[in-house]
Amino acid sequence: YGHGDELQCIATSPDGGLLASAGRANLAGDSTIRLWDTEKRLAAGTIDVHSLTVVRLAFSPDGAHVLSVGRDRKLVVSSVTNRSSPLVVWMLEEAHERIIWDATWLTADSIVTVSRDRKAKLWSLASRKCIAETEFKEPVTAVCRLSDNLIVVGLEDGSIVEYDWTSGKSFVVGRANGRTNRLAVHSKLPFLAVASADHSIRIYSRK
């Protein structure tokens, strides 16, 4: 019951009714994504498609899909409309040249993935294709959506960089003393939270 090893990532649907979790895995059999009904507090379903550790899970804005990426370099989108029988609607092998460290929904139809190959890629769910990409000076270890055309990424050297997909322009927001592990923005206030390998959490104002 649950995962065979420690939890690696977890995500909650926008309405809070569904939870997705994944644990550390060295074998395909251990890389199962599990869905949980938060109201009933029971297991709801599973997604078995990855072969190594899933490092990031993210629900779509409408909660109908779950995005998953991992050490196997797969990009997977699964429909969770039927919680007990999730359906993989898109799976792309080798979406990056190296491990995919993070991913986020930019809009209801677009996804951003970032990787050790130093690239951020923008994907269209409708066309199932990469429609834009950009390369940074260091491996990209974290990403977060700011708006429909803006993202902020964290790099392995601790740099925090904001990037505009429309203009192609970027600027450095700040820098930690170690790899960026996770980024998050406040849902209502203009704050960006950065968790880093130097054991710090930094809060940046975006005013």
Side-chain angles (χ1 to χ4, degrees):
Y1 188 76
H3 298 281
D5 207 330
E6 63 188 68
L7 278 176
Q8 180 70 29
C9 57
I10 194 167
T12 308
S13 62
D15 65 2
L18 192 62
L19 196 73
S21 63
R24 181 176 293 182
N26 293 316
L27 300 172
D30 298 327
S31 60
T32 298
I33 298 168
R34 298 187 179 276
L35 303 177
W36 309 88
D37 186 312
T38 59
E39 183 177 350
K40 297 179 180 179
R41 299 189 178 186
L42 293 173
T46 60
I47 302 170
D48 295 289
V49 66
H50 287 276
S51 57
L52 292 171
T53 301
V54 175
V55 298
R56 182 65 155 161
L57 294 164
F59 279 88
S60 58
D62 62 2
H65 296 88
V66 171
L67 163 66
S68 59
V69 295
R71 290 181 174 272
D72 56 8
R73 296 185 290 158
K74 288 181 182 177
L75 164 61
V76 181
V77 177
S78 304
S79 171
V80 291
T81 304
N82 184 342
R83 298 180 176 185
S84 61
S85 299
L87 177 66
V88 174
V89 296
W90 182 30
M91 182 179 71
L92 180 64
E93 304 270 1
E94 299 181 356
H96 281 264
E97 296 173 7
R98 304 289 297 277
I99 180 176
I100 303 174
W101 281 125
D102 204 354
T104 187
W105 293 86
L106 194 62
T107 67
D109 181 56
S110 58
I111 292 164
V112 176
T113 57
V114 298
S115 167
R116 182 176 281 171
D117 63 13
R118 302 188 297 176
K119 294 179 181 179
K121 292 186 177 184
L122 177 61
W123 305 87
S124 167
L125 189 58
S127 67
R128 305 290 200 269
K129 293 181 179 179
C130 177
I131 55 177
E133 68 175 61
T134 188
E135 187 168 345
F136 296 89
K137 63 178 182 178
E138 293 280 335
V140 192
T141 55
V143 64
C144 184
R145 176 191 183 275
L146 297 179
S147 70
D148 286 356
N149 64 300
L150 288 175
I151 59 171
V152 60
V153 300
L155 306 184
E156 196 165 70
D157 68 355
S159 298
I160 313 300
V161 182
E162 190 170 309
Y163 180 77
D164 189 323
W165 286 105
T166 302
S167 67
K169 294 181 179 180
S170 63
F171 72 90
V172 177
V173 176
R175 184 169 181 171
N177 296 317
R179 163 191 162 132
T180 307
N181 289 330
R182 190 70 77 209
L183 300 165
V185 292
H186 196 284
S187 60
K188 297 180 180 179
L189 301 176
F191 296 132
L192 169 68
V194 180
S196 304
D198 62 0
H199 308 293
S200 72
I201 297 178
R202 288 172 167 80
I203 307 295
Y204 293 92
S205 173
R206 299 192 60 249
K207 289 186 178 180

